[in-house]
Amino acid sequence: MLKFDGETTKLLDIAYQGGDVTRRRRKAFDALHLREGDTVVDIGCGNGFLTEEIARAVGKTGHVIGVDPSDHMRARASIRSAAYPCAQIKDGLADALPLRDGEADKAVAVQVLEYLPDIPSAIREAHRILRVGGRFVAVDTGCKTLDWFSQDEERMQRVQTAWDHHYTEPRVAGLWPRLTQDNGFAAIEVKPFTFCDVTMRPDGLAFMLMHLMSRYAAENGHMPEAETKAWFDEQVELASQGRFFFSLTYYQMSAIKM
């Protein structure tokens, strides 16, 4: 799993304000169907961008609790949400949320489930903290949908294979219908949405992943740093030649507590 230290947090802060990640966040936001006065838990709130947006939507009579196990992420989220009295940032895990039974109207987890060793426990925990009729929304990566052009296909495959080690479950969307139904949810939906970049925008998802993937592969001993740098540099060169191509599909998922 990625280590969200200070350097990584700064990189994510920049990318999370870009158009791609904003769109991904908006998919979760829209699926929540927020109302003034809602109590919402943002599971794995990270740097707090979505927490802040939820706080604005639920207003002074609402409540949003951002939960994250990372000290660095909680610190950034606390700063970002400081202007909203309805927002709280708490230490916690997806399978051990710091909320009472039936306390929340809505729960959201963006790119959280794919990293968990026990997804059913997290789904049961979401069910526990939601009221009857409460909505659980998740957005996760279709990890097997990555299509990324490189002139060195073998090296590209090594980069992708190294990156495969950073998540636990690549098939969250495929598991979602059964796991949510088995744990007391209904009105289950799964909707795909795809990012495709042919320019390598500086604020784009592809550029963010280039940094994260090359760093992860080298720091965890999956590839030599010189090789990951060569891959990164090749992608920059391809973009300068108008030959860059990146595509990745995500899934917006939702379910209602019975």
Side-chain angles (χ1 to χ4, degrees), residues 74-95:
R74 288 199 312 275
R76 302 295 291 183
S78 295
I79 293 169
R80 183 157 286 111
S81 61
Y84 302 92
C86 68
Q88 285 182 291
I89 307 299
K90 296 184 177 184
D91 186 10
L93 299 169
D95 58 359

Side-chain angles (χ1 to χ4, degrees), residues 148-162 223 227 231 234:
W148 204 326
F149 175 73
S150 172
Q151 296 179 112
D152 188 332
E153 293 185 5
E154 291 185 1
R155 185 178 62 202
M156 183 74 247
Q157 185 58 54
R158 287 194 295 274
V159 172
Q160 290 186 234
T161 299
M223 295 175 67
E227 190 174 21
W231 169 73
E234 181 215 19

